[in-house]
Amino acid sequence: MEKQPLAWVVGVGPGLGAALCRALAGRGYAVAGLARTVQFGEQLAAEIGDAGGRFTMYAGDIADPVSVDAVMQRINRELGAASVYIHNASQFLMKPLLETTPAELESVWRITCLGALNGVRHVIPPMLRQRRGTLLFTGATASLRGGANFAAFASAKFALRGMVQSMAREYGPQGIHVAHVILDGLIWGQAAEKFHVPRDKCLEPAAIAATYLQLIDQPRSAWTHEIDLRPDVEKF
């Protein structure tokens, strides 16, 4: 019997992270999720399990190399090597530059960019041995344009985009598909409700997840490195 493929999703919450886990489990992947706590993940595991999927939630701080090493080694022992890695973790900060502390800027960068490095260090070596695998990274409008009051968030997303480009050029020729997904708009969920943004003006988490699956399925003769997604009403 062929072994069930494994996908890691880093940054699992009730919005896009959960949608990615549902989509991957529905496609037949065993899914390992990572977040700071397992509370929401336990609810999601029960939901996915009831639908016939397999999802396991792990707690860890993606910004802390020691924490990541411990949890990733545990996942490798319990579930095996991943064929898909999705870095969906980031820290949002909207604040005037002169009110942004050095500690806040560093925190946003550590989760968004350093966290991606902490994660992929554990999945790339087995992918290289197999000469196949997929690494996907969630970007934002701020990956391309630093707006007023977004200095910390934009600088971290710019840094992530640059690192992912380098990663694609290094590992693409070795069989690993590396792609960056720019989400140009607000994702429907708690943040949208907080800012009173109507649902029809938001990105739907399940629709975004469907695009991630399409990227995973792409034949290597026609790989996408970067793609942008936005609602039909979003100006750009």
Side-chain angles (χ1 to χ4, degrees):
M1 183 177 178
E2 187 175 353
K3 186 177 180 181
Q4 189 176 16
L6 174 65
W8 291 6
V9 179
V10 175
V12 175
L16 178 56
L20 290 167
C21 294
R22 294 185 188 104
L24 288 160
R27 182 61 66 87
Y29 285 88
V31 183
L34 181 66
R36 288 180 179 271
T37 67
V38 298
Q39 183 175 3
F40 171 74
E42 290 174 346
Q43 303 171 20
L44 184 62
E47 174 194 330
I48 290 175
D50 288 344
R54 183 183 175 195
F55 172 75
T56 308
M57 190 69 185
Y58 295 85
D61 181 359
I62 194 64
D64 178 4
V66 176
S67 175
V68 175
D69 287 350
V71 71
M72 295 300 189
Q73 289 170 13
R74 180 184 169 195
I75 295 173
N76 276 325
R77 288 195 307 270
E78 296 178 355
L79 302 178
S83 58
V84 173
Y85 174 91
I86 299 177
H87 188 80
N88 185 56
S90 67
Q91 180 178 343
F92 180 77
L93 182 67
M94 181 180 176
K95 203 171 187 181
L97 176 66
L98 295 181
E99 296 178 16
T100 302
T101 68
E104 287 174 327
L105 187 144
E106 181 180 356
S107 177
V108 174
W109 170 79
R110 290 182 68 87
I111 294 171
T112 303
C113 186
L114 178 64
L117 176 62
N118 290 339
V120 299
R121 288 175 56 247
H122 292 271
V123 298
I124 288 177
M127 288 181 178
L128 287 174
R129 290 192 290 270
Q130 297 292 323
R131 294 195 65 83
R132 66 175 180 271
T134 304
L135 307 174
L136 304 178
F137 301 84
T138 301
T141 309
S143 303
L144 302 175
R145 184 174 69 251
N149 301 318
F150 286 92
F153 187 63
S155 61
K157 285 295 188 180
F158 264 67
L160 176 66
R161 184 177 184 236
M163 187 173 73
V164 173
Q165 285 183 2
S166 296
M167 207 180 301
R169 293 185 171 101
E170 182 173 356
Y171 296 113
Q174 301 182 70
I176 300 175
H177 184 191
V178 182
H180 182 242
V181 184
I182 297 171
L183 303 182
D184 185 19
L186 195 60
I187 301 173
W188 173 250
Q190 294 177 347
E193 293 178 320
K194 177 182 177 181
F195 291 107
H196 306 291
V197 179
R199 186 165 188 169
D200 62 0
K201 296 185 182 299
C202 294
L203 289 149
E204 285 286 350
I208 300 170
T211 296
Y212 280 66
L213 290 182
Q214 291 168 4
L215 290 169
I216 294 168
D217 292 340
Q218 282 184 336
R220 62 181 60 205
S221 65
W223 274 349
T224 294
H225 167 63
E226 189 165 77
I227 186 171
D228 53 347
L229 306 178
R230 62 182 60 84
D232 56 350
V233 297
E234 186 76 21
K235 294 180 180 179
F236 68 102

